[in-house]
Amino acid sequence: MPEVVAQQVKSDVGLASALRSSTLRLSRQIRRQRVEGVDLTANQLGVLGALGKHDAMTIGELAAHEQVKPPSMTRIVSNMEEAGLVARRPHDTDKRQIVVELTESAHALLHANRRRRDEWLQTKLKKLTPEERDILRKAAAVLERLAAT
Amino acid sequence: MPEVVAQQVKSDVGLASALRSSTLRLSRQIRRQRVEGVDLTANQLGVLGALGKHDAMTIGELAAHEQVKPPSMTRIVSNMEEAGLVARRPHDTDKRQIVVELTESAHALLHANRRRRDEWLQTKLKKLTPEERDILRKAAAVLERLAAT
DNA sequence: CTTAGCTCATTACCTTTGCTAACAAAAATA
DNA sequence: TATTTTTGTTAGCAAAGGTAATGAGCTAAG
């Protein structure tokens, strides 16, 4: 480890900077790992992820979540529907709205993606020392709390 | 912290999963923080970041780095040149190649962006306990090493 | 209760952006 | 020196997002 980093990290401003840099770098690499043969656009991936968390969302909610205008989301969902990734369903009480849900194969894809990323990360973790892994074990919980607030 | 997480993190597979989730989540939030009034496409941001690290790159190098075909990079660079973000310059020895560099204002923009993200992260860090910050201090170095390999 | 206004998704059209193919200039190689 | 390869650009095409306009359904004022 370069001395410069060790020194910077002592101050809080240095901690923020070091954490920003290392987190962004690692996340870029994690993001790069995904199942082959399936090429989705960034927005399709975003929709998949959002539905993975929230189960069922309307077109408008998805558009807001993905920072995209409603007409664009209409087309994104249509494409994903043709690809068998999502299904449209009428809203229970409001007939204007359309509820979008993941299909079984989309759930499987999400799961496979996560699995692949985890496997990749595990092989990298094996190269660290037990002490380093221990530090990351504690840090994961803190990072989770940091991202949650 | 939920017990489930604490338990999972004990195993290495759980560590990878927890680290993936928390890192991706935090990085998404960091990425969201940027200077207002300047809206750049994802590729423009990528070029800016790449040039921020490597100082001077050819069109071909940039295309490879951003996972884009050379003709696309030609246009991206042309647009950024018009926007005053980059400058073209002939290669020293190979007259086929074009070297792209950041302008002063692009450097300033990159700096402002980093600064803004750091400030945002610092305010979040302040809400943690000193012990948690200490964990992150150690973890930053390990994450850096993890991303470097 | 009914009409006016609002919300949500969609359609039509335009612009942007990336890709492939074709090309010109320069370098490498035979 | 002649041929092949590499590098960037131009031209034309397809995909994807945005705005404006439309239609169906909800909501609230009269």
Side-chain angles (χ1 to χ4, degrees):
Chain A
M1 190 172 83
E3 289 84 349
V4 188
V5 175
Q7 200 169 19
Q8 279 180 346
V9 173
K10 284 176 189 162
S11 69
D12 270 15
V13 37
L15 173 56
S17 180
L19 208 58
R20 165 183 51 74
S21 155
S22 58
T23 300
L24 287 180
R25 246 175 102 184
L26 184 59
S27 74
R28 258 193 301 273
Q29 296 182 36
I30 295 175
R31 228 179 292 270
R32 217 172 285 149
Q33 310 298 321
R34 46 181 113 118
V35 289
E36 297 157 34
V38 192
D39 52 338
L40 301 165
T41 67
N43 274 329
Q44 287 178 332
L45 265 171
V47 169
L48 233 57
L51 289 176
K53 279 197 180 172
H54 300 97
D55 259 34
M57 298 172 74
T58 67
I59 301 276
E61 286 171 343
L62 281 172
H65 190 274
E66 294 303 306
Q67 318 253 39
V68 143
K69 300 301 170 186
S72 304
M73 187 51 67
T74 291
R75 186 163 32 186
I76 293 170
V77 168
S78 296
N79 291 340
M80 294 179 74
E81 197 175 22
E82 279 181 34
L85 292 171
V86 300
R88 276 183 167 92
R89 157 169 91 65
H91 192 278
D92 287 336
T93 60
D94 189 339
K95 287 177 187 169
R96 292 168 305 176
Q97 301 188 53
I98 301 283
V99 176
V100 183
E101 290 173 318
L102 291 184
T103 61
E104 266 317 302
S105 71
H107 269 118
L109 184 65
L110 270 181
H111 190 70
N113 240 326
R114 263 193 289 266
R115 203 185 153 88
R116 184 184 183 87
R117 287 173 170 179
D118 283 358
E119 281 170 359
W120 173 84
L121 197 50
Q122 275 177 57
T123 65
K124 298 209 75 170
L125 287 170
K126 275 186 199 149
K127 295 176 188 162
L128 298 177
T129 68
E131 291 75 27
E132 288 175 323
R133 275 196 295 274
D134 205 56
I135 289 172
L136 290 184
R137 245 180 286 274
K138 289 174 189 155
V142 182
L143 288 174
E144 191 65 33
R145 208 167 92 76
L146 195 64
T149 54
Chain B
M1 190 173 83
E3 290 83 350
V4 187
V5 175
Q7 200 170 18
Q8 279 181 346
V9 173
K10 284 175 188 161
S11 69
D12 270 15
V13 37
L15 173 56
S17 181
L19 207 58
R20 165 184 52 73
S21 154
S22 59
T23 300
L24 288 180
R25 243 175 106 184
L26 183 58
S27 74
R28 258 192 302 273
Q29 296 183 34
I30 295 176
R31 228 179 292 271
R32 216 172 285 150
Q33 309 297 321
R34 47 181 114 114
V35 288
E36 296 156 36
V38 192
D39 53 337
L40 301 165
T41 68
N43 275 328
Q44 287 178 333
L45 265 173
V47 169
L48 232 58
L51 288 176
K53 278 197 181 174
H54 300 96
D55 258 35
M57 298 171 75
T58 67
I59 301 277
E61 286 171 342
L62 281 172
H65 190 273
E66 293 304 306
Q67 317 253 42
V68 144
K69 300 299 171 189
S72 304
M73 187 50 68
T74 291
R75 187 161 32 184
I76 293 170
V77 167
S78 296
N79 289 341
M80 294 179 75
E81 197 175 21
E82 278 180 34
L85 292 171
V86 301
R88 275 183 167 91
R89 159 168 88 65
H91 192 278
D92 287 336
T93 61
D94 189 337
K95 287 177 188 169
R96 290 171 305 179
Q97 302 189 53
I98 301 282
V99 177
V100 183
E101 291 174 318
L102 291 184
T103 61
E104 265 318 301
S105 71
H107 269 118
L109 184 64
L110 270 180
H111 189 70
N113 241 325
R114 262 194 289 267
R115 202 186 154 88
R116 185 185 181 87
R117 287 172 170 181
D118 283 357
E119 281 170 359
W120 173 84
L121 197 48
Q122 275 177 58
T123 65
K124 297 209 77 170
L125 287 170
K126 274 187 200 149
K127 294 175 187 163
L128 297 177
T129 68
E131 292 75 26
E132 287 175 324
R133 274 195 296 273
D134 206 55
I135 289 172
L136 290 184
R137 244 180 286 273
K138 290 172 188 156
V142 181
L143 288 174
E144 189 67 32
R145 209 166 92 75
L146 195 65
T149 56

